[in-house]
Amino acid sequence: MPMTITEKILAEHAGITGVSPGENIWVDTDILMTHDVCGPPTIGIFKQQFGEKASVFDPEKVVIIPDHYIFTNDKHANRNIDILRDFVKEHNLPNYYDVGTERYKGVCHIALAEEGWTRPGNVLFGTDSHTCTAGAFGQFATGIGNTDAAFILGTGKLWVKVPETMQFIIDGEIPPYVMAKDIILQIIGDIGVDGASYRTMEFAGSGVEAMSMEERMTLCNMVIEAGGKNGIIAADATTEEYVKARTDAPYKIFRNDADAKFHTTNYYKAEDLLPMVAQPHSPDNKASVRDVQSEKVTRAYIGSCTGGKFSDFVAAAEILKDQQVAVETFIVPATTEIDKLLRTTQINGHSLMQIFENAGAQIGKPSCAACLGGPADTFGRTHKDEICISTTNRNFPGRMGSKSSQVYLASPYTVAASALTGKITDPQEFLN
Amino acid sequence: MQNKILGRVYVLGEDIDTDQIIPAAHLVYSLEDPDERKKYGEYALSGVPAALAGLPNGNMPFIEKGKSHSEFSIIIAAKNFGCGSSREHAPAALEIAGVKAVITPSYARIFYRNAVDGGFLIPAESEKSLVDYFKTGDQAELDFINKNVTNTRTGESFSVKELGQVSQIIEAGGIFEYARISGMLQENTHA
């Protein structure tokens, strides 16, 4: 039976030779990831269902990365970190990245990759919708709820409906002012916020093959914004180089069979792609920057699993160096590793951090921060009628905190350029 | 599972995401502690912009201020209900507020799964959007035997789809109950 990459991974983890879209199968979990928001209720359900003394299915396969509400005085949020800590101690779990220690990482999806937990051919479940980010490594990765996570914690298994695969082929050379964020905003705008519901979004073509792992992660990160179950990109030499530098764990590379069946195949010519935004209040409300330039913004935000990776800040720094921001600008590195790199990497004798500080930006600590609003004292959170242009992933009403604020989603280039002018600005004005 | 659900209807538009169902700032509360848990009812659907809260007129709060239980037990919404995050707090908040069923032409995948696997509420799928056929405050009767929903004010009935492959999990009351019935988990795993 000819199969796609996703179908092959699921079949192997179900212990069967072939699967077809629509089939419900039970699969084995390679890694289960949870964080401070969904970990505590997952632990609660696990104890209630399996008993106070039950053991987890495999302590080595459970990865806990607190990242959402870390730098807050909210007593309930802080209590939730204690619940994680107690559970980790009780079960002697080795893969816990505790707050306030050297091990603390920050945003789970980027931390997973940096720490070598993203491996081709694996099945990764996480209690966060952006778990799909890891599909960039040629693995099946998807977001689940607390009950499903508790079920896995006790059994190592979960039922999955095999998704159909939609292919997105990006061929040609991507223009230097276009980032993966622009491409995924274009695609979501084309198919809609439910355009890939229950399906896999697979990205391929010479444009994708030329991308760094971080850019591939941006593509897969936002498939959930089109309703996708998972994103996937075939692993190649770029993937192997990244993975081998971070783990000795085995992995397996799957490829589509020549006659594998796809739901649809959509072609994009890389040369035609443009800087894009998603206008308020939906990730599919697309416009090219050219068509909405000069729309006013009052805030710029660069951070999150979508747009807070090292290369996102390198892009922003190219534009912000030797300039002054015109609106309040927030910089939040996704992880502590990225934070360190921003302090040690220099452009013309200044670290990226110095470039941001000299431009007048405010720097936050590694975490999810204002991407999803959060407690009132969250860094960069909106509180009134701000108009924010952001490298994050969602702009539904109230996403960044205040229901009366508005959010434009854009690439780090476009956000940085807009921060300098106070209006939506094409990065080409500042690049070269 | 009941064969029929009778209740007052709360009408919403399309793409109601999980941040509108339960804004992220409130996800700090415990879902187990009996008092803290009520907060999820209190803040259920508090992220919906006022003008779109309770269609067609809007400005109709889902929950009265200070309460944690809503007078509305059936939600009728346009497409892609529950899009956005994977937070299971979303279907849980609706259940805590007293919602028994949602009726929409389509769900976001994770919300649907969470509603089913956690046994929080019945995610019914209508053949078409029913937003134009119900007003917030109408009474609806959702009938799983005849596979339809009736607006008792107008007398009009509309078909709803079979629950399909997941009906066994819904009928069992969630994934744990289903796994015990089907022998995948031993009965005595229950604490």
Side-chain angles (χ1 to χ4, degrees), chain B:
Chain B
M1 188 184 135
Q2 299 161 268
N3 289 333
K4 281 185 183 179
I5 294 173
L6 184 70
R8 291 190 74 196
V9 165
Y10 193 76
V11 183
L12 290 165
E14 61 183 31
D15 303 329
I16 298 295
D17 79 304
T18 53
D19 276 289
Q20 294 182 72
I21 297 172
I22 183 73
H26 306 307
L27 302 179
V28 296
Y29 302 116
S30 165
L31 277 161
E32 293 140 64
D33 180 88
D35 285 326
E36 267 185 57
R37 181 179 163 79
K38 285 186 191 150
K39 293 275 186 194
Y40 286 101
E42 188 179 335
Y43 295 117
L45 290 174
S46 64
V48 178
L52 302 171
L55 297 175
N57 298 327
N59 293 302
M60 194 175 271
F62 175 65
I63 301 255
E64 278 180 57
K65 221 176 166 51
K67 296 208 168 154
S68 59
H69 204 267
S70 173
E71 59 179 306
F72 305 104
S73 60
I74 296 178
I75 289 171
I76 287 188
K79 73 165 181 81
N80 201 29
F81 188 84
C83 60
S85 84
S86 67
R87 67 188 69 155
E88 190 166 302
H89 311 68
L94 294 177
E95 186 200 32
I96 293 165
V99 172
K100 304 283 181 222
V102 177
I103 309 172
T104 163
S106 63
Y107 290 90
R109 186 189 69 80
I110 309 178
F111 180 92
Y112 185 83
R113 247 196 108 94
N114 288 343
V116 169
D117 282 359
F120 297 106
L121 49 84
I122 312 263
E125 285 178 293
S126 49
E127 293 285 349
K128 60 175 179 182
S129 173
L130 303 180
V131 169
D132 294 335
Y133 303 93
F134 285 85
K135 290 180 178 170
T136 295
D138 282 353
Q139 187 166 259
E141 186 177 75
L142 179 58
D143 182 334
F144 296 104
I145 304 283
N146 292 311
K147 298 181 205 66
N148 64 19
V149 56
T150 304
N151 184 333
T152 61
R153 175 177 60 84
T154 63
E156 279 185 287
S157 289
F158 308 90
S159 51
V160 294
K161 293 179 190 167
E162 299 237 21
L163 291 170
Q165 287 173 310
V166 297
S167 64
Q168 288 171 308
I169 302 176
I170 294 175
E171 277 161 27
I175 190 179
F176 281 98
E177 292 75 6
Y178 172 75
R180 285 193 186 95
I181 291 169
S182 61
M184 206 189 145
L185 281 186
Q186 289 178 352
E187 283 295 335
N188 63 10
T189 51
H190 212 297

Side-chain angles (χ1 to χ4, degrees), chain A residues 49 69 142 146-148 159, chain B residues 24 36 88 109 113 117 189:
Chain A
Q49 294 289 346
Y69 306 152
T142 194
N146 311 329
T147 300
D148 283 350
W159 71 271
Chain B
E36 267 185 57
E88 190 166 302
R109 186 189 69 80
R113 247 196 108 94
D117 282 359
T189 51

Side-chain angles (χ1 to χ4, degrees), chain A residues 226-305:
Chain A
K229 183 178 204 129
N230 67 309
I232 204 146
I233 296 171
D236 61 8
T238 305
T239 323
E240 289 194 84
E241 192 194 343
Y242 186 105
V243 172
K244 279 183 178 158
R246 288 158 177 88
T247 178
D248 297 328
Y251 57 84
K252 188 168 173 183
I253 294 180
F254 290 93
R255 301 194 187 289
N256 292 320
D257 285 326
D259 45 358
K261 286 198 178 60
F262 297 96
H263 172 271
T264 40
T265 302
N266 304 270
Y267 295 91
Y268 289 86
K269 211 169 133 191
E271 290 78 7
D272 296 341
L273 297 166
L274 293 168
M276 299 293 292
V277 295
Q279 307 165 94
H281 292 283
S282 183
D284 66 0
N285 192 11
K286 71 165 183 208
S288 68
V289 167
R290 189 192 287 161
D291 286 342
V292 291
Q293 60 188 347
S294 78
E295 288 287 331
K296 181 186 162 189
V297 296
T298 65
R299 174 177 289 196
Y301 185 96
I302 305 177
S304 83
C305 56

